Each structure stands twice: as C-alpha cells, then as structure tokens.
Amino acid sequence: MLGASDERMIGWMAGDFHDIYCDGVIVNVTPYDVILQLQRRPADNAQSATAQQEVVGCVRMSLEQAKTFAIILKTSLKQLEESQGTDIPIHPQLRANLKISKNEDW
C-alpha cells in the first residue's frame, strides 16, 4: 500500500515528463554531479554556422549515474554501428573544435 508521499512522488514523476530534441550539449562536472545543458539551434537558423544555440533542458545526475549512462550509450552506439556495418560520422569541423581524433577511444 502506498503512502500519501509515495502517491505524490508517482504523480510528480508521471506529470513531469518532457520529450526534448537537442543538437548540442554543454557538460559540467562537479565533485558531486554531472550537469548536461541541452541546446538546440533555432529551426530558422539551423544551417547558419553562427546560429545562436538555445537551451532546451538541463539534466543533472550523480557521477556514478553519469558514468553508467556514458558506458550504456557508448555500448549502444557501437552495437548499432556494428549491426549496420557503418560508422556514425562526426563532422570534421566538430572534430576539430572538440579536438577529437578520428579514432578517439572508439
């Protein structure tokens, strides 16, 4: 049997779901948590190299959850690449900006 506080928590979780698309992220790591600031280019400026990103959401999680999340995401993407027989491309300009080598830990 659920108590009143349990029922409020379930109602809060069910009513607070947001489906968000992003094409950018800023990652902040503190000694206690990881914060992912999700961003998106406005649709009317999507092709512009100077388009200003807008913040569409923020995800906060513990360091342990962030590490688990990263491992699961990497594993899932690698499995997709293997099953499709192709690599997911990363734009050369993005690679250069983020200083990611072509074979960066992948």
Side-chain angles (χ1 to χ4, degrees):
M1 183 162 179
L2 296 175
S5 62
D6 295 321
E7 291 174 342
R8 280 194 303 273
M9 181 58 78
I10 292 170
W12 175 81
M13 290 186 304
D16 203 36
F17 174 80
H18 299 280
D19 185 8
I20 298 172
Y21 173 81
C22 69
D23 56 15
V25 64
I26 294 175
V27 179
N28 294 300
V29 180
T30 75
Y32 306 104
D33 58 14
V34 172
I35 302 163
L36 305 175
Q37 187 181 50
L38 307 177
Q39 300 178 330
R40 171 180 67 215
R41 289 182 195 262
D44 56 343
N45 291 327
Q47 299 303 318
S48 170
T50 60
Q52 183 67 33
Q53 295 272 51
E54 62 180 319
V55 175
V56 294
C58 189
V59 177
R60 295 174 175 84
M61 63 184 85
S62 69
L63 298 173
E64 298 83 2
Q65 181 61 32
K67 186 173 184 178
T68 303
F69 178 79
I71 291 167
I72 292 169
L73 183 59
K74 181 178 179 179
T75 300
S76 298
L77 291 172
K78 287 183 91 166
Q79 287 174 349
L80 177 70
E81 287 181 328
E82 289 171 10
S83 71
Q84 303 229 338
T86 187
D87 290 335
I88 299 169
I90 298 176
H91 193 279
Q93 184 178 358
L94 180 59
R95 273 190 202 282
N97 290 347
L98 296 175
K99 298 178 180 152
I100 300 172
S101 73
K102 187 166 174 85
N103 298 315
E104 180 81 25
D105 192 28
W106 198 251

